[in-house]
mmCIF file of all heavy atoms in Angstrom:
data_model
loop_
_atom_site.group_PDB
_atom_site.id
_atom_site.type_symbol
_atom_site.label_atom_id
_atom_site.label_comp_id
_atom_site.label_asym_id
_atom_site.label_seq_id
_atom_site.Cartn_x
_atom_site.Cartn_y
_atom_site.Cartn_z
ATOM 1 N N ALA A 1 -30.818 -17.965 -35.300
ATOM 2 C CA ALA A 1 -30.122 -19.200 -35.618
ATOM 3 C C ALA A 1 -28.615 -19.089 -35.213
ATOM 4 O O ALA A 1 -27.974 -20.125 -34.951
ATOM 5 C CB ALA A 1 -30.241 -19.520 -37.122
ATOM 6 N N GLU A 2 -28.069 -17.905 -35.205
ATOM 7 C CA GLU A 2 -26.668 -17.754 -34.796
ATOM 8 C C GLU A 2 -26.563 -17.697 -33.251
ATOM 9 O O GLU A 2 -25.391 -17.627 -32.763
ATOM 10 C CB GLU A 2 -26.144 -16.446 -35.364
ATOM 11 C CG GLU A 2 -26.112 -16.401 -36.894
ATOM 12 C CD GLU A 2 -25.209 -17.523 -37.463
ATOM 13 O OE1 GLU A 2 -24.110 -17.779 -36.927
ATOM 14 O OE2 GLU A 2 -25.675 -18.180 -38.470
ATOM 15 N N LEU A 3 -27.641 -17.722 -32.533
ATOM 16 C CA LEU A 3 -27.692 -17.776 -31.046
ATOM 17 C C LEU A 3 -26.964 -16.584 -30.436
ATOM 18 O O LEU A 3 -26.340 -16.681 -29.366
ATOM 19 C CB LEU A 3 -27.063 -19.110 -30.538
ATOM 20 C CG LEU A 3 -27.734 -20.421 -31.110
ATOM 21 C CD1 LEU A 3 -26.992 -21.613 -30.600
ATOM 22 C CD2 LEU A 3 -29.210 -20.435 -30.809
ATOM 23 N N VAL A 4 -27.128 -15.456 -31.086
ATOM 24 C CA VAL A 4 -26.499 -14.215 -30.591
ATOM 25 C C VAL A 4 -27.093 -13.845 -29.237
ATOM 26 O O VAL A 4 -26.370 -13.297 -28.353
ATOM 27 C CB VAL A 4 -26.746 -13.047 -31.623
ATOM 28 C CG1 VAL A 4 -26.265 -11.757 -31.042
ATOM 29 C CG2 VAL A 4 -26.037 -13.332 -32.940
ATOM 30 N N HIS A 5 -28.355 -14.122 -29.026
ATOM 31 C CA HIS A 5 -29.027 -13.746 -27.796
ATOM 32 C C HIS A 5 -29.053 -14.885 -26.736
ATOM 33 O O HIS A 5 -29.747 -14.764 -25.728
ATOM 34 C CB HIS A 5 -30.489 -13.319 -28.075
ATOM 35 C CG HIS A 5 -30.540 -12.099 -29.014
ATOM 36 N ND1 HIS A 5 -30.325 -10.821 -28.626
ATOM 37 C CD2 HIS A 5 -30.714 -12.050 -30.396
ATOM 38 C CE1 HIS A 5 -30.414 -9.992 -29.586
ATOM 39 N NE2 HIS A 5 -30.654 -10.694 -30.716
ATOM 40 N N TRP A 6 -28.290 -15.913 -26.985
ATOM 41 C CA TRP A 6 -28.271 -17.061 -26.053
ATOM 42 C C TRP A 6 -27.726 -16.625 -24.712
ATOM 43 O O TRP A 6 -26.726 -15.965 -24.594
ATOM 44 C CB TRP A 6 -27.426 -18.190 -26.603
ATOM 45 C CG TRP A 6 -27.513 -19.513 -25.921
ATOM 46 C CD1 TRP A 6 -28.222 -20.590 -26.314
ATOM 47 C CD2 TRP A 6 -26.948 -19.882 -24.689
ATOM 48 N NE1 TRP A 6 -28.146 -21.627 -25.423
ATOM 49 C CE2 TRP A 6 -27.354 -21.207 -24.393
ATOM 50 C CE3 TRP A 6 -26.121 -19.254 -23.725
ATOM 51 C CZ2 TRP A 6 -26.936 -21.899 -23.255
ATOM 52 C CZ3 TRP A 6 -25.733 -19.955 -22.586
ATOM 53 C CH2 TRP A 6 -26.170 -21.239 -22.359
ATOM 54 N N ASN A 7 -28.383 -16.968 -23.618
ATOM 55 C CA ASN A 7 -27.888 -16.708 -22.279
ATOM 56 C C ASN A 7 -28.542 -17.579 -21.226
ATOM 57 O O ASN A 7 -29.697 -18.001 -21.417
ATOM 58 C CB ASN A 7 -28.053 -15.226 -21.906
ATOM 59 C CG ASN A 7 -29.528 -14.799 -21.886
ATOM 60 O OD1 ASN A 7 -30.087 -14.424 -22.955
ATOM 61 N ND2 ASN A 7 -30.178 -14.921 -20.756
ATOM 62 N N LEU A 8 -27.794 -17.872 -20.166
ATOM 63 C CA LEU A 8 -28.424 -18.521 -18.977
ATOM 64 C C LEU A 8 -29.463 -17.587 -18.397
ATOM 65 O O LEU A 8 -29.476 -16.383 -18.662
ATOM 66 C CB LEU A 8 -27.361 -18.874 -17.938
ATOM 67 C CG LEU A 8 -26.348 -19.927 -18.351
ATOM 68 C CD1 LEU A 8 -25.364 -20.145 -17.202
ATOM 69 C CD2 LEU A 8 -26.985 -21.208 -18.805
ATOM 70 N N THR A 9 -30.343 -18.132 -17.560
ATOM 71 C CA THR A 9 -31.442 -17.332 -16.993
ATOM 72 C C THR A 9 -31.317 -17.242 -15.479
ATOM 73 O O THR A 9 -30.396 -17.845 -14.877
ATOM 74 C CB THR A 9 -32.818 -18.024 -17.309
ATOM 75 O OG1 THR A 9 -32.798 -19.291 -16.614
ATOM 76 C CG2 THR A 9 -32.975 -18.233 -18.802
ATOM 77 N N GLU A 10 -32.245 -16.515 -14.834
ATOM 78 C CA GLU A 10 -32.150 -16.403 -13.376
ATOM 79 C C GLU A 10 -32.349 -17.738 -12.695
ATOM 80 O O GLU A 10 -31.793 -17.955 -11.615
ATOM 81 C CB GLU A 10 -33.222 -15.427 -12.914
ATOM 82 C CG GLU A 10 -34.644 -15.872 -13.109
ATOM 83 C CD GLU A 10 -35.668 -14.908 -12.484
ATOM 84 O OE1 GLU A 10 -35.266 -13.806 -12.039
ATOM 85 O OE2 GLU A 10 -36.870 -15.287 -12.443
ATOM 86 N N GLU A 11 -33.026 -18.674 -13.346
ATOM 87 C CA GLU A 11 -33.175 -20.031 -12.748
ATOM 88 C C GLU A 11 -31.815 -20.726 -12.560
ATOM 89 O O GLU A 11 -31.574 -21.373 -11.561
ATOM 90 C CB GLU A 11 -34.110 -20.880 -13.579
ATOM 91 C CG GLU A 11 -35.581 -20.567 -13.479
ATOM 92 C CD GLU A 11 -36.039 -19.490 -14.434
ATOM 93 O OE1 GLU A 11 -35.151 -18.760 -15.086
ATOM 94 O OE2 GLU A 11 -37.245 -19.186 -14.534
ATOM 95 N N ASP A 12 -30.973 -20.551 -13.571
ATOM 96 C CA ASP A 12 -29.620 -21.138 -13.444
ATOM 97 C C ASP A 12 -28.798 -20.417 -12.371
ATOM 98 O O ASP A 12 -28.161 -21.065 -11.540
ATOM 99 C CB ASP A 12 -28.860 -20.984 -14.785
ATOM 100 C CG ASP A 12 -29.570 -21.699 -15.924
ATOM 101 O OD1 ASP A 12 -29.466 -22.943 -16.015
ATOM 102 O OD2 ASP A 12 -30.260 -21.009 -16.686
ATOM 103 N N HIS A 13 -28.879 -19.121 -12.343
ATOM 104 C CA HIS A 13 -28.054 -18.328 -11.429
ATOM 105 C C HIS A 13 -28.551 -18.373 -9.985
ATOM 106 O O HIS A 13 -27.744 -18.220 -9.039
ATOM 107 C CB HIS A 13 -27.980 -16.872 -11.920
ATOM 108 C CG HIS A 13 -27.267 -16.724 -13.221
ATOM 109 N ND1 HIS A 13 -25.983 -17.165 -13.460
ATOM 110 C CD2 HIS A 13 -27.737 -16.168 -14.410
ATOM 111 C CE1 HIS A 13 -25.656 -16.896 -14.719
ATOM 112 N NE2 HIS A 13 -26.696 -16.318 -15.307
ATOM 113 N N LEU A 14 -29.851 -18.598 -9.786
ATOM 114 C CA LEU A 14 -30.408 -18.597 -8.426
ATOM 115 C C LEU A 14 -30.673 -19.971 -7.917
ATOM 116 O O LEU A 14 -30.482 -20.223 -6.687
ATOM 117 C CB LEU A 14 -31.701 -17.785 -8.436
ATOM 118 C CG LEU A 14 -31.649 -16.309 -8.752
ATOM 119 C CD1 LEU A 14 -33.005 -15.680 -8.755
ATOM 120 C CD2 LEU A 14 -30.699 -15.587 -7.779
ATOM 121 N N TYR A 15 -31.120 -20.903 -8.751
ATOM 122 C CA TYR A 15 -31.683 -22.132 -8.258
ATOM 123 C C TYR A 15 -30.883 -23.385 -8.615
ATOM 124 O O TYR A 15 -31.063 -24.480 -8.000
ATOM 125 C CB TYR A 15 -33.132 -22.343 -8.801
ATOM 126 C CG TYR A 15 -34.038 -21.183 -8.561
ATOM 127 C CD1 TYR A 15 -34.953 -20.810 -9.516
ATOM 128 C CD2 TYR A 15 -34.000 -20.474 -7.317
ATOM 129 C CE1 TYR A 15 -35.817 -19.714 -9.274
ATOM 130 C CE2 TYR A 15 -34.870 -19.451 -7.077
ATOM 131 C CZ TYR A 15 -35.754 -19.043 -8.069
ATOM 132 O OH TYR A 15 -36.563 -17.963 -7.865
ATOM 133 N N LYS A 16 -30.042 -23.362 -9.612
ATOM 134 C CA LYS A 16 -29.297 -24.515 -10.020
ATOM 135 C C LYS A 16 -27.818 -24.432 -9.670
ATOM 136 O O LYS A 16 -27.300 -25.197 -8.854
ATOM 137 C CB LYS A 16 -29.474 -24.753 -11.531
ATOM 138 C CG LYS A 16 -30.878 -25.144 -11.947
ATOM 139 C CD LYS A 16 -30.949 -25.314 -13.493
ATOM 140 C CE LYS A 16 -32.361 -25.566 -13.970
ATOM 141 N NZ LYS A 16 -32.421 -25.639 -15.446
ATOM 142 N N ILE A 17 -27.088 -23.539 -10.319
ATOM 143 C CA ILE A 17 -25.649 -23.509 -10.174
ATOM 144 C C ILE A 17 -25.209 -23.341 -8.701
ATOM 145 O O ILE A 17 -24.314 -24.063 -8.273
ATOM 146 C CB ILE A 17 -25.036 -22.403 -11.076
ATOM 147 C CG1 ILE A 17 -25.186 -22.794 -12.561
ATOM 148 C CG2 ILE A 17 -23.585 -22.182 -10.783
ATOM 149 C CD1 ILE A 17 -24.871 -21.735 -13.526
ATOM 150 N N PRO A 18 -25.771 -22.391 -7.931
ATOM 151 C CA PRO A 18 -25.276 -22.255 -6.533
ATOM 152 C C PRO A 18 -25.444 -23.524 -5.709
ATOM 153 O O PRO A 18 -24.542 -23.880 -4.954
ATOM 154 C CB PRO A 18 -26.155 -21.122 -5.981
ATOM 155 C CG PRO A 18 -26.640 -20.383 -7.175
ATOM 156 C CD PRO A 18 -26.789 -21.398 -8.286
ATOM 157 N N LEU A 19 -26.515 -24.238 -5.893
ATOM 158 C CA LEU A 19 -26.758 -25.475 -5.126
ATOM 159 C C LEU A 19 -25.787 -26.587 -5.568
ATOM 160 O O LEU A 19 -25.289 -27.337 -4.747
ATOM 161 C CB LEU A 19 -28.200 -25.933 -5.232
ATOM 162 C CG LEU A 19 -29.251 -24.992 -4.673
ATOM 163 C CD1 LEU A 19 -30.643 -25.646 -4.746
ATOM 164 C CD2 LEU A 19 -28.981 -24.614 -3.245
ATOM 165 N N ILE A 20 -25.561 -26.644 -6.892
ATOM 166 C CA ILE A 20 -24.636 -27.661 -7.416
ATOM 167 C C ILE A 20 -23.231 -27.407 -6.861
ATOM 168 O O ILE A 20 -22.566 -28.353 -6.384
ATOM 169 C CB ILE A 20 -24.629 -27.640 -8.924
ATOM 170 C CG1 ILE A 20 -25.989 -28.095 -9.486
ATOM 171 C CG2 ILE A 20 -23.490 -28.578 -9.464
ATOM 172 C CD1 ILE A 20 -26.144 -27.871 -10.990
ATOM 173 N N LEU A 21 -22.808 -26.153 -6.822
ATOM 174 C CA LEU A 21 -21.445 -25.861 -6.358
ATOM 175 C C LEU A 21 -21.325 -26.181 -4.857
ATOM 176 O O LEU A 21 -20.253 -26.686 -4.412
ATOM 177 C CB LEU A 21 -21.111 -24.389 -6.596
ATOM 178 C CG LEU A 21 -21.039 -23.974 -8.089
ATOM 179 C CD1 LEU A 21 -20.720 -22.540 -8.210
ATOM 180 C CD2 LEU A 21 -19.979 -24.792 -8.842
ATOM 181 N N ARG A 22 -22.357 -25.913 -4.100
ATOM 182 C CA ARG A 22 -22.327 -26.219 -2.685
ATOM 183 C C ARG A 22 -22.342 -27.739 -2.447
ATOM 184 O O ARG A 22 -21.618 -28.259 -1.624
ATOM 185 C CB ARG A 22 -23.505 -25.579 -1.972
ATOM 186 C CG ARG A 22 -23.329 -24.053 -1.847
ATOM 187 C CD ARG A 22 -24.646 -23.360 -1.492
ATOM 188 N NE ARG A 22 -25.104 -23.679 -0.144
ATOM 189 C CZ ARG A 22 -26.264 -23.281 0.377
ATOM 190 N NH1 ARG A 22 -27.056 -22.583 -0.391
ATOM 191 N NH2 ARG A 22 -26.560 -23.583 1.603
ATOM 192 N N ALA A 23 -23.120 -28.460 -3.259
ATOM 193 C CA ALA A 23 -23.170 -29.909 -3.148
ATOM 194 C C ALA A 23 -21.795 -30.539 -3.466
ATOM 195 O O ALA A 23 -21.325 -31.504 -2.805
ATOM 196 C CB ALA A 23 -24.232 -30.481 -4.044
ATOM 197 N N LYS A 24 -21.141 -30.005 -4.492
ATOM 198 C CA LYS A 24 -19.820 -30.522 -4.948
ATOM 199 C C LYS A 24 -18.845 -30.510 -3.768
ATOM 200 O O LYS A 24 -17.974 -31.368 -3.687
ATOM 201 C CB LYS A 24 -19.296 -29.695 -6.071
ATOM 202 C CG LYS A 24 -19.831 -30.071 -7.448
ATOM 203 C CD LYS A 24 -19.216 -29.171 -8.505
ATOM 204 C CE LYS A 24 -17.712 -29.306 -8.537
ATOM 205 N NZ LYS A 24 -17.063 -28.474 -9.601
ATOM 206 N N GLU A 25 -18.899 -29.462 -2.938
ATOM 207 C CA GLU A 25 -17.958 -29.317 -1.855
ATOM 208 C C GLU A 25 -18.192 -30.342 -0.727
ATOM 209 O O GLU A 25 -17.357 -30.525 0.115
ATOM 210 C CB GLU A 25 -18.039 -27.918 -1.284
ATOM 211 C CG GLU A 25 -17.517 -26.862 -2.222
ATOM 212 C CD GLU A 25 -16.103 -27.065 -2.594
ATOM 213 O OE1 GLU A 25 -15.230 -27.306 -1.716
ATOM 214 O OE2 GLU A 25 -15.745 -27.086 -3.802
ATOM 215 N N MET A 26 -19.361 -30.979 -0.745
ATOM 216 C CA MET A 26 -19.704 -31.895 0.379
ATOM 217 C C MET A 26 -19.455 -33.363 0.064
ATOM 218 O O MET A 26 -19.319 -34.162 0.990
ATOM 219 C CB MET A 26 -21.210 -31.684 0.694
ATOM 220 C CG MET A 26 -21.566 -30.352 1.191
ATOM 221 S SD MET A 26 -23.350 -30.237 1.461
ATOM 222 C CE MET A 26 -23.496 -28.571 2.049
ATOM 223 N N THR A 27 -19.410 -33.727 -1.186
ATOM 224 C CA THR A 27 -19.381 -35.127 -1.557
ATOM 225 C C THR A 27 -17.976 -35.776 -1.329
ATOM 226 O O THR A 27 -16.976 -35.123 -1.485
ATOM 227 C CB THR A 27 -19.761 -35.332 -3.012
ATOM 228 O OG1 THR A 27 -18.854 -34.586 -3.847
ATOM 229 C CG2 THR A 27 -21.137 -34.859 -3.310
ATOM 230 N N ALA A 28 -18.059 -37.022 -0.945
ATOM 231 C CA ALA A 28 -16.825 -37.797 -0.748
ATOM 232 C C ALA A 28 -16.274 -38.311 -2.084
ATOM 233 O O ALA A 28 -15.088 -38.608 -2.193
ATOM 234 C CB ALA A 28 -17.071 -38.984 0.171
ATOM 235 N N TYR A 29 -17.172 -38.386 -3.123
ATOM 236 C CA TYR A 29 -16.787 -38.824 -4.433
ATOM 237 C C TYR A 29 -17.084 -37.662 -5.388
ATOM 238 O O TYR A 29 -17.970 -36.838 -5.168
ATOM 239 C CB TYR A 29 -17.565 -40.059 -4.871
ATOM 240 C CG TYR A 29 -17.256 -41.295 -4.034
ATOM 241 C CD1 TYR A 29 -17.906 -41.535 -2.795
ATOM 242 C CD2 TYR A 29 -16.343 -42.223 -4.471
ATOM 243 C CE1 TYR A 29 -17.619 -42.616 -2.029
ATOM 244 C CE2 TYR A 29 -16.047 -43.360 -3.710
ATOM 245 C CZ TYR A 29 -16.692 -43.554 -2.510
ATOM 246 O OH TYR A 29 -16.389 -44.651 -1.757
ATOM 247 N N PRO A 30 -16.398 -37.622 -6.550
ATOM 248 C CA PRO A 30 -16.731 -36.596 -7.515
ATOM 249 C C PRO A 30 -18.197 -36.669 -7.923
ATOM 250 O O PRO A 30 -18.753 -37.768 -8.092
ATOM 251 C CB PRO A 30 -15.818 -36.923 -8.750
ATOM 252 C CG PRO A 30 -14.670 -37.677 -8.114
ATOM 253 C CD PRO A 30 -15.257 -38.459 -6.974
ATOM 254 N N LEU A 31 -18.831 -35.499 -8.016
ATOM 255 C CA LEU A 31 -20.260 -35.467 -8.372
ATOM 256 C C LEU A 31 -20.418 -35.532 -9.894
ATOM 257 O O LEU A 31 -19.959 -34.615 -10.606
ATOM 258 C CB LEU A 31 -20.878 -34.170 -7.816
ATOM 259 C CG LEU A 31 -22.357 -34.016 -7.885
ATOM 260 C CD1 LEU A 31 -23.111 -35.161 -7.211
ATOM 261 C CD2 LEU A 31 -22.789 -32.669 -7.283
ATOM 262 N N LYS A 32 -20.987 -36.588 -10.374
ATOM 263 C CA LYS A 32 -21.195 -36.743 -11.844
ATOM 264 C C LYS A 32 -22.440 -35.986 -12.207
ATOM 265 O O LYS A 32 -23.573 -36.354 -11.880
ATOM 266 C CB LYS A 32 -21.382 -38.259 -12.151
ATOM 267 C CG LYS A 32 -20.167 -39.105 -11.800
ATOM 268 C CD LYS A 32 -20.499 -40.557 -12.230
ATOM 269 C CE LYS A 32 -19.337 -41.515 -11.973
ATOM 270 N NZ LYS A 32 -19.199 -41.812 -10.528
ATOM 271 N N MET A 33 -22.253 -34.934 -13.026
ATOM 272 C CA MET A 33 -23.356 -34.073 -13.454
ATOM 273 C C MET A 33 -23.669 -34.339 -14.962
ATOM 274 O O MET A 33 -22.719 -34.394 -15.779
ATOM 275 C CB MET A 33 -23.016 -32.564 -13.281
ATOM 276 C CG MET A 33 -22.731 -32.171 -11.844
ATOM 277 S SD MET A 33 -24.117 -32.450 -10.698
ATOM 278 C CE MET A 33 -25.450 -31.622 -11.546
ATOM 279 N N PHE A 34 -24.921 -34.542 -15.287
ATOM 280 C CA PHE A 34 -25.246 -34.658 -16.672
ATOM 281 C C PHE A 34 -26.465 -33.814 -17.008
ATOM 282 O O PHE A 34 -27.366 -33.591 -16.159
ATOM 283 C CB PHE A 34 -25.509 -36.141 -17.069
ATOM 284 C CG PHE A 34 -26.776 -36.781 -16.553
ATOM 285 C CD1 PHE A 34 -27.927 -36.861 -17.248
ATOM 286 C CD2 PHE A 34 -26.753 -37.358 -15.264
ATOM 287 C CE1 PHE A 34 -29.031 -37.444 -16.807
ATOM 288 C CE2 PHE A 34 -27.885 -38.038 -14.786
ATOM 289 C CZ PHE A 34 -29.051 -38.058 -15.553
ATOM 290 N N GLY A 35 -26.540 -33.333 -18.235
ATOM 291 C CA GLY A 35 -27.583 -32.466 -18.707
ATOM 292 C C GLY A 35 -28.570 -33.192 -19.607
ATOM 293 O O GLY A 35 -28.199 -34.135 -20.260
ATOM 294 N N SER A 36 -29.859 -32.708 -19.550
ATOM 295 C CA SER A 36 -30.892 -33.276 -20.443
ATOM 296 C C SER A 36 -31.804 -32.165 -20.928
ATOM 297 O O SER A 36 -32.354 -31.457 -20.084
ATOM 298 C CB SER A 36 -31.757 -34.291 -19.688
ATOM 299 O OG SER A 36 -31.001 -35.416 -19.207
ATOM 300 N N PRO A 37 -31.983 -32.004 -22.217
ATOM 301 C CA PRO A 37 -32.907 -30.978 -22.736
ATOM 302 C C PRO A 37 -34.327 -31.584 -22.768
ATOM 303 O O PRO A 37 -34.554 -32.685 -23.112
ATOM 304 C CB PRO A 37 -32.385 -30.679 -24.107
ATOM 305 C CG PRO A 37 -31.738 -31.938 -24.547
ATOM 306 C CD PRO A 37 -31.196 -32.620 -23.319
ATOM 307 N N TRP A 38 -35.261 -30.679 -22.461
ATOM 308 C CA TRP A 38 -36.746 -31.025 -22.573
ATOM 309 C C TRP A 38 -37.274 -30.500 -23.935
ATOM 310 O O TRP A 38 -37.947 -31.177 -24.636
ATOM 311 C CB TRP A 38 -37.548 -30.454 -21.405
ATOM 312 C CG TRP A 38 -37.761 -31.413 -20.297
ATOM 313 C CD1 TRP A 38 -38.997 -31.947 -19.872
ATOM 314 C CD2 TRP A 38 -36.774 -32.008 -19.436
ATOM 315 N NE1 TRP A 38 -38.759 -32.798 -18.823
ATOM 316 C CE2 TRP A 38 -37.468 -32.881 -18.542
ATOM 317 C CE3 TRP A 38 -35.402 -31.907 -19.343
ATOM 318 C CZ2 TRP A 38 -36.817 -33.567 -17.553
ATOM 319 C CZ3 TRP A 38 -34.720 -32.623 -18.378
ATOM 320 C CH2 TRP A 38 -35.421 -33.436 -17.490
ATOM 321 N N SER A 39 -36.947 -29.220 -24.251
ATOM 322 C CA SER A 39 -37.434 -28.646 -25.480
ATOM 323 C C SER A 39 -36.427 -27.648 -25.968
ATOM 324 O O SER A 39 -35.700 -26.976 -25.196
ATOM 325 C CB SER A 39 -38.816 -27.907 -25.233
ATOM 326 O OG SER A 39 -39.202 -27.221 -26.403
ATOM 327 N N SER A 40 -36.359 -27.565 -27.256
ATOM 328 C CA SER A 40 -35.599 -26.422 -27.917
ATOM 329 C C SER A 40 -36.422 -25.186 -27.783
ATOM 330 O O SER A 40 -37.555 -25.184 -27.294
ATOM 331 C CB SER A 40 -35.393 -26.774 -29.374
ATOM 332 O OG SER A 40 -36.656 -26.715 -30.067
ATOM 333 N N PRO A 41 -35.879 -24.014 -28.132
ATOM 334 C CA PRO A 41 -36.697 -22.835 -28.241
ATOM 335 C C PRO A 41 -37.948 -23.142 -29.100
ATOM 336 O O PRO A 41 -37.817 -23.865 -30.115
ATOM 337 C CB PRO A 41 -35.785 -21.804 -28.884
ATOM 338 C CG PRO A 41 -34.408 -22.230 -28.496
ATOM 339 C CD PRO A 41 -34.470 -23.718 -28.457
ATOM 340 N N ALA A 42 -39.064 -22.560 -28.737
ATOM 341 C CA ALA A 42 -40.284 -22.866 -29.469
ATOM 342 C C ALA A 42 -40.197 -22.544 -30.966
ATOM 343 O O ALA A 42 -40.743 -23.230 -31.822
ATOM 344 C CB ALA A 42 -41.458 -22.131 -28.818
ATOM 345 N N TRP A 43 -39.430 -21.491 -31.280
ATOM 346 C CA TRP A 43 -39.341 -21.086 -32.692
ATOM 347 C C TRP A 43 -38.491 -22.071 -33.554
ATOM 348 O O TRP A 43 -38.564 -22.006 -34.774
ATOM 349 C CB TRP A 43 -38.755 -19.683 -32.830
ATOM 350 C CG TRP A 43 -37.445 -19.424 -32.113
ATOM 351 C CD1 TRP A 43 -37.352 -18.893 -30.860
ATOM 352 C CD2 TRP A 43 -36.164 -19.636 -32.588
ATOM 353 N NE1 TRP A 43 -36.003 -18.759 -30.522
ATOM 354 C CE2 TRP A 43 -35.225 -19.224 -31.556
ATOM 355 C CE3 TRP A 43 -35.612 -20.145 -33.793
ATOM 356 C CZ2 TRP A 43 -33.892 -19.335 -31.726
ATOM 357 C CZ3 TRP A 43 -34.273 -20.223 -33.944
ATOM 358 C CH2 TRP A 43 -33.404 -19.806 -32.916
ATOM 359 N N MET A 44 -37.813 -22.977 -32.917
ATOM 360 C CA MET A 44 -37.082 -23.998 -33.659
ATOM 361 C C MET A 44 -37.973 -25.213 -33.993
ATOM 362 O O MET A 44 -37.558 -26.110 -34.757
ATOM 363 C CB MET A 44 -35.851 -24.506 -32.872
ATOM 364 C CG MET A 44 -34.698 -23.585 -32.744
ATOM 365 S SD MET A 44 -33.297 -24.430 -31.975
ATOM 366 C CE MET A 44 -32.039 -23.143 -31.937
ATOM 367 N N LYS A 45 -39.195 -25.268 -33.427
ATOM 368 C CA LYS A 45 -40.037 -26.434 -33.595
ATOM 369 C C LYS A 45 -41.154 -26.212 -34.563
ATOM 370 O O LYS A 45 -41.606 -25.097 -34.838
ATOM 371 C CB LYS A 45 -40.647 -26.778 -32.223
ATOM 372 C CG LYS A 45 -39.639 -27.196 -31.144
ATOM 373 C CD LYS A 45 -40.255 -27.375 -29.826
ATOM 374 C CE LYS A 45 -41.368 -28.457 -29.844
ATOM 375 N NZ LYS A 45 -41.937 -28.606 -28.483
#
């Protein structure tokens, strides 16, 4: 519950963040980024 073990995963470091940063450098307008959760940790449910 204190989220001591909270951390990003390899999916963020390999597949999401690098592509977002590269896309940001290309756009003529600021890139509006928004997040959406699908599920909490299973133990919270």
Side-chain angles (χ1 to χ4, degrees):
E2 298 299 318
L3 305 178
V4 173
H5 299 281
W6 193 102
N7 60 272
L8 295 180
T9 65
E10 65 176 9
E11 285 85 353
D12 301 280
H13 296 304
L14 296 178
Y15 307 141
K16 294 178 183 176
I17 292 171
L19 297 185
I20 294 169
L21 295 178
R22 289 164 68 186
K24 279 180 58 180
E25 291 301 311
M26 297 179 180
T27 58
Y29 294 84
L31 188 57
K32 298 181 179 74
M33 300 301 306
F34 71 96
S36 300
W38 264 245
S39 175
S40 68
W43 52 266
M44 287 189 180
K45 295 174 60 178

